[in-house]
Amino acid sequence: MQSQCDLNAFSVIHRDDALLSVHKPAALLVHRSPIDRHETRFALQMARDCAGQRVHAVHRLDKATSGLLLFALDADSARHLSRQFEQRRVEKRYLALVRGWPLVQGCIDKPLRYKADALADARASKEHPPQQARTHFRCLATATLDQPLGRFPQQRYALLELRPETGRKHQIRRHLNHIGHPIIGDVNHGDRHHNHLFHNWRGYHRLYLAAVGLRVTHPHSQQPLDLRAPLQADFQSTLAALGVPVPLDAPPD
């Protein structure tokens, strides 16, 4: 089942003379895509409307992922910020609700096979070696749910903080599935039984992955800038229903 985009969850987080950061709701595309021809609203378009001028996308979030999205307001700032992402000088922080109880903390160091974009990479070579990929995680809270599934009367879940070093396609989702703790609501890399359980229990379906923090160097002042985004309301309400405290939007360490 497709998630329905809550356009009311779109909001401006920060704006200055060089950049604009917004909260992108789950199920909203960053920009127009031939793959989703039926979509009529896009974060790029909405950010442009908020800014009243052209904006430049400097990174992307998956359609299903909610949270902090950054745009530049001029071409020079866009190049400066894009270079930071390419050189891995941006600190990224995510929160995810996963199946099971992982270790308290750890690092997933597993190369990932290149995943070609169906359109952008249509003419590219199909032969790519696995790419280096590292994701640090920390368990913030655990919970049990008194809902039967299979042979278990209770289910275990955990809220994780994630800090990817690299930016491979669907890296966090693929890494968490690799260690046996897939993200709830992940259709492609998750557990469909737990996905259905949450849809039936909560009454809606979404990917429980959110970008909550970015630390960049401001393209004009050259000073560090911490940007933070709160969790979307539906994510917060699910955590509350599980008895998990909603984390404060603390900046990265």
Side-chain angles (χ1 to χ4, degrees):
M1 177 174 292
Q2 293 290 328
S3 300
Q4 185 172 359
C5 177
D6 178 10
L7 293 176
N8 293 325
F10 184 93
S11 61
V12 173
I13 295 170
H14 173 90
R15 181 180 178 179
D16 58 35
D17 58 346
L19 54 84
L20 172 75
S21 63
V22 303
H23 179 275
K24 183 191 84 68
L28 179 68
L29 284 168
V30 172
H31 48 67
R32 190 180 303 275
S33 169
I35 298 176
D36 292 281
R37 296 180 184 274
H38 64 284
E39 297 290 355
T40 59
R41 301 301 299 271
F42 312 95
L44 182 66
Q45 171 198 65
M46 297 171 72
R48 181 193 64 203
D49 292 344
C50 287
Q53 66 172 82
R54 181 184 179 187
V55 299
H56 304 259
V58 296
H59 71 125
R60 293 189 295 177
L61 289 179
D62 293 339
K63 178 181 179 181
T65 304
S66 62
L68 202 155
L69 188 60
L70 183 63
F71 297 94
L73 299 181
D74 61 82
D76 286 342
S77 295
R79 283 190 289 270
H80 190 286
L81 290 165
S82 295
R83 194 176 304 118
Q84 291 183 52
F85 280 96
E86 292 167 3
Q87 296 175 352
R88 303 179 188 174
R89 293 189 286 115
V90 176
E91 296 181 40
K92 296 173 282 187
R93 178 172 173 259
Y94 291 79
L95 293 178
L97 182 63
V98 304
R99 183 193 72 187
W101 290 357
L103 298 173
V104 174
Q105 62 183 13
C107 178
I108 308 167
D109 188 351
K110 175 179 170 53
L112 296 172
R113 289 193 176 277
Y114 177 80
K115 296 191 72 173
D117 183 279
L119 296 172
D121 298 332
R123 298 180 182 179
S125 170
K126 303 300 182 183
E127 297 299 325
H128 293 274
Q131 299 171 302
Q132 177 193 15
R134 289 169 60 90
T135 304
H136 299 269
F137 70 89
R138 181 165 65 101
C139 184
L140 300 181
T142 59
T144 56
L145 180 62
D146 292 325
Q147 294 270 1
L149 185 63
R151 58 191 179 90
F152 298 104
Q154 283 187 328
Q155 311 308 317
R156 290 182 170 185
Y157 301 102
L159 180 67
L160 300 187
E161 176 188 65
L162 301 129
R163 301 182 188 224
E165 280 188 26
T166 50
R168 309 309 178 194
K169 190 171 184 179
H170 298 169
Q171 175 177 316
I172 292 175
R173 297 159 68 173
R174 295 162 72 186
H175 267 175
L176 289 175
N177 184 50
H178 170 70
I179 65 170
H181 297 288
I183 301 174
I184 302 303
D186 191 338
V187 175
N188 294 322
H189 307 285
D191 184 316
R192 63 184 179 88
H193 301 293
H194 287 266
N195 293 349
H196 289 317
L197 185 155
F198 267 74
H199 176 253
N200 293 333
W201 174 48
R202 301 298 300 146
Y204 49 79
H205 177 71
R206 63 154 293 164
L207 174 71
Y208 285 94
L209 176 64
V212 295
L214 282 177
R215 175 179 284 174
V216 300
T217 299
H218 194 281
H220 288 186
S221 70
Q222 305 303 312
Q223 295 299 310
L225 176 65
D226 286 321
L227 299 168
R228 290 165 275 168
L231 290 174
Q232 193 167 319
D234 53 6
F235 201 142
Q236 292 192 36
S237 67
T238 294
L239 292 183
L242 285 169
V244 172
V246 177
L248 297 176
D249 58 341
D253 296 332

